[in-house]
Amino acid sequence: MLNSVSPLLLSLVPQPAWHRSDTLQCMSMTPPSPFLDGTPAGVASFPLSAEVLVEKTKAFILARNGLDAPDTLDEGFEFMGPVVGPLGKADYLETVGGFDIYEAFPDLSPNFHHFRVDPFEPGRVWFTSRVRGTFTGSFGGALKGRGERFEMPPEAISVSWSAEGKVIRYTIGYVLDRAQGNSGGLGGVFGILFAVGKPLPFREAQPWRKSFGFQLFDIVSSLAQKANSKRAR
């Protein structure tokens, strides 16, 4: 029961109009399409085309995510992950620039793919990673690898550009499917370290677990669902 999705929690999720067939029939409405139709005006009018944005994003990656080309970063630049950041430009260049992940994982392969422009946020490019590698080097000068393999889940990454062609925001590590890979559902460096048996000793670097409050909520809602089912018979 504790590992199931709470029936009460599911009941709180709003149903889209196209899914409420009974309501629509009573109101004689045509259900709206659940798919985006066209491109919002703000995105369509952005001065950099989708092709240019993707090309610039790939160049940003090849420049070690802007570390080798700091002039491409806007002065208001922000770097952010699920629990890390936001870091401004100076902190990003100093903190991230002082760490070479390939020193620990020489064969690391990000496998970036599925580059696409956000249809709602002008200038934002999304892409996906499926990171693979082997821990054969040293991490932070303290942790030594012994050939441990890691396979990360798919992660969403984005680079946002200004109309002037500067990077204003860079986000990483947002896991798309925590059941994939051997990182315990974690993204970024936290996930890699967990996968190779060297997890960091704080909650944010540990796999997700239900809180006591959520477990209690699950139990109570399941009991309520059973009681409702009995009354309906």
Side-chain angles (χ1 to χ4, degrees):
M1 183 188 338
L2 296 182
N3 290 325
S4 63
V5 177
S6 162
L8 179 57
L9 187 61
L10 285 176
S11 72
L12 297 176
V13 178
Q15 294 289 332
W18 52 268
H19 198 272
R20 301 194 300 269
S21 57
D22 293 341
T23 301
L24 290 168
Q25 288 175 7
C26 292
M27 299 178 65
S28 299
M29 291 176 58
T30 300
S33 171
F35 306 109
L36 177 65
D37 184 16
T39 303
V43 174
S45 63
F46 194 70
L48 302 178
S49 68
E51 292 77 11
V52 169
L53 287 169
V54 169
E55 181 181 339
K56 289 177 71 66
T57 298
K58 290 181 177 180
F60 170 81
I61 293 169
L62 292 174
R64 290 200 309 138
N65 306 316
L67 296 174
D68 290 342
D71 289 344
T72 63
L73 307 182
D74 187 80
E75 290 307 310
F77 168 86
E78 283 189 339
F79 167 73
M80 184 182 296
V83 297
V84 175
L87 298 180
K89 180 177 179 177
D91 288 338
Y92 171 75
L93 292 173
E94 180 179 356
T95 304
V96 181
F99 171 67
D100 183 6
I101 195 168
Y102 287 96
E103 182 180 332
F105 314 103
D107 67 341
L108 183 145
S109 178
N111 296 305
F112 295 134
H113 60 283
H114 195 199
F115 287 79
R116 68 271 187 198
V117 174
D118 193 301
F120 293 97
E121 295 185 52
R124 190 171 194 176
V125 176
W126 289 95
F127 53 102
T128 307
S129 68
R130 293 294 294 258
V131 186
R132 303 287 187 271
T134 313
F135 190 17
T136 55
S138 64
F139 184 90
L143 303 177
K144 305 294 183 181
R146 297 181 178 178
E148 300 93 337
R149 285 283 301 170
F150 64 89
E151 295 187 4
M152 298 295 288
E155 298 174 65
I157 307 167
S158 76
V159 179
S160 298
W161 297 86
S162 70
E164 294 73 33
K166 298 281 189 177
V167 179
I168 55 178
R169 198 159 183 258
Y170 173 39
T171 68
I172 66 167
Y174 291 89
V175 171
L176 298 174
D177 182 356
R178 61 188 174 93
Q180 300 298 310
N182 64 344
S183 74
L186 297 167
V189 174
F190 292 169
I192 292 176
L193 290 178
F194 178 85
V196 299
K198 309 290 184 182
L200 296 175
F202 45 84
R203 184 180 65 183
E204 290 82 358
Q206 305 295 321
W208 177 84
R209 291 186 304 169
K210 276 187 179 181
S211 67
F212 174 76
F214 194 3
Q215 292 182 48
L216 183 61
F217 179 84
D218 205 14
I219 292 172
V220 172
S221 63
S222 294
L223 292 174
Q225 181 76 11
K226 289 179 180 178
N228 290 335
S229 296
K230 287 182 179 179
R231 285 195 295 267
R233 290 173 184 170

